[in-house]
Amino acid sequence: MSEQQQKKDTESKSAATIPTVLKYVFGGTAAIAASCVMHPMDLVKTRMQVASSGGGKAVSPIEVMKMAMRNDGIAGLYKGLSASVLRQSVYSTTRIGVYTSLTEYYRELYNTSPTLNVTVLMAAFAGAVGAYAGTPADLGLVRMMTDARLPAADRRNYTSVFNALSRIVKEEGVLALWRGAVPTVGRAIVVSVAQLASYTQFRRCAKSYLGMGDGFSLHLVASIGSGLLTATASLPVDIAKTRIQNMKMIDGKPEYRGILDVLLKISRKEGVLALWRGYTPYVLRVVPTTILIFIILEQLNTAYFKYVLGEEYKSKI
């Protein structure tokens, strides 16, 4: 074989990649699996966020879990799981797919990897698109998880996410499916930017200052750092989203006028620290979820390269 042919084969091999469609599928699969594992913590976090919205006292994560199991047994910890799966199927698949497509388009156009500023912009856009598409499922998720804490007469008693969505359309109108879309998109932008940008920086710092090489340990350290930063930055917006999606009409008017109104009312009535209510279960959800998503995603990518392309996979995350 000639030297020129060998060079061409090498370049062709190095250019081998996973089809964009499979990147959507792998990303969505990883997010769904992680969501199923961490759903109980998501339920605890959500119920703690709305615990004081009606004037009730704050409750601890343990109390929330006990109450959920007392009412419905172990199954009580998985209320709204179908909505969570649907949300990840739409939100995470869309977000990862859009981000991947934009990244590949940039590389093809400029023949180089995106700069940090460009990466942040692409992550923000991808998060916004994914969140807007996933808002209906997110609305159903919040309502299903918080239904059990309402008085029996006020409970919606949705039987599934599809029952929830159909009833919302029938009882409140189609546009009600996007109630809370603005804070949902805002949270997604914060989460996407924080995860992508900070994960990369934590990886670089771990390599430079701790002398860590590529592998599970590096991935674990970077994921923990990214998860903690993401949880701290996004929780106030997440609380606002939850309150808006769970609010009721008072004298014919919505309880909140928007995300800023929620944040101001919470700060004034419950104290500024209430914006981080449920921080512990939120961190216990975000950090392990981040780790699980990346681990599962890496394993799917590795398997594809090994069994389909016959090559060794090198992470580009």
Side-chain angles (χ1 to χ4, degrees):
M1 182 182 295
S2 66
E3 183 177 341
Q4 185 176 4
Q5 183 63 41
Q6 286 181 333
K7 183 178 180 180
K8 186 179 293 186
D9 289 344
T10 300
E11 290 176 348
S12 176
K13 194 170 185 179
S14 63
T17 185
I18 298 172
T20 300
V21 173
L22 283 183
K23 289 178 181 177
Y24 277 75
V25 174
F26 288 172
T29 299
I32 290 171
S35 180
C36 288
V37 173
M38 300 308 301
H39 187 77
M41 294 311 302
D42 195 23
L43 178 138
V44 171
K45 177 269 300 182
T46 301
R47 290 191 177 178
M48 287 184 69
Q49 287 177 350
V50 300
S52 297
S53 61
K57 69 174 184 177
V59 292
S60 70
I62 299 300
E63 289 174 323
V64 174
M65 295 183 75
K66 286 182 177 179
M67 187 179 302
M69 290 189 289
R70 184 166 58 248
N71 292 336
D72 301 292
I74 295 296
L77 296 176
Y78 292 89
K79 283 283 187 180
L81 181 60
S82 61
S84 181
V85 170
L86 178 61
R87 176 183 179 274
Q88 293 300 336
S89 299
V90 178
Y91 165 63
S92 292
T93 301
T94 301
R95 180 178 68 151
I96 293 173
V98 170
Y99 178 74
T100 300
S101 299
L102 290 175
T103 301
E104 291 182 349
Y105 178 75
Y106 185 95
R107 285 174 176 164
E108 291 176 2
L109 187 63
Y110 297 103
N111 198 30
T112 185
S113 297
T115 62
L116 177 59
N117 290 338
V118 174
T119 297
V120 168
L121 290 175
M122 291 193 299
F125 178 75
V129 173
Y132 189 78
T135 295
D138 194 57
L139 174 65
L141 172 63
V142 169
R143 290 193 177 185
M144 290 177 72
M145 289 196 299
T146 58
D147 203 44
R149 62 170 292 278
L150 297 174
D154 296 331
R155 292 178 188 174
R156 301 178 177 97
N157 296 315
Y158 298 134
T159 57
S160 70
V161 63
F162 299 107
N163 174 253
L165 297 180
S166 63
R167 282 182 52 189
I168 290 173
V169 171
K170 185 177 180 180
E171 297 167 9
E172 304 171 47
V174 176
L175 293 181
L177 291 175
W178 278 270
R179 177 175 294 164
V182 173
T184 299
V185 169
R187 175 190 177 277
I189 290 174
V190 173
V191 169
S192 295
V193 171
Q195 282 183 334
L196 290 171
S198 69
Y199 182 78
T200 300
Q201 294 305 311
F202 278 121
R203 278 177 61 94
R204 291 175 180 173
C205 289
K207 284 184 174 182
S208 300
Y209 301 109
L210 301 180
M212 300 180 69
D214 284 312
F216 178 79
S217 297
L218 176 65
H219 171 236
L220 183 63
V221 170
S223 295
I224 292 174
S226 175
L228 287 171
L229 181 61
T230 301
T232 303
S234 66
L235 185 52
V237 184
D238 189 71
I239 288 178
K241 172 188 74 68
T242 300
R243 292 282 182 96
I244 289 175
Q245 292 179 325
N246 198 57
M247 71 179 177
K248 291 190 174 183
M249 303 298 287
I250 300 177
D251 296 327
K253 297 181 180 179
E255 186 177 359
Y256 302 109
R257 295 191 301 273
I259 181 172
L260 292 179
D261 187 45
V262 177
L263 297 177
L264 288 174
K265 284 184 177 178
I266 291 176
S267 299
R268 187 167 57 249
K269 296 179 180 179
E270 305 169 37
V272 175
L273 292 181
L275 294 175
W276 281 271
R277 178 172 292 128
Y279 183 75
T280 298
Y282 192 60
V283 167
L284 292 177
R285 168 184 170 267
V286 171
V287 175
T289 297
T290 301
I291 295 172
L292 285 171
I293 287 176
F294 281 116
I295 288 178
I296 296 171
L297 186 58
E298 292 287 9
Q299 292 304 309
L300 290 172
N301 290 337
T302 299
Y304 182 85
F305 265 75
K306 181 178 180 180
Y307 297 110
V308 178
L309 300 179
E311 297 183 29
E312 180 181 355
Y313 174 70
K314 293 183 180 181
S315 176
K316 296 181 179 62
I317 299 175

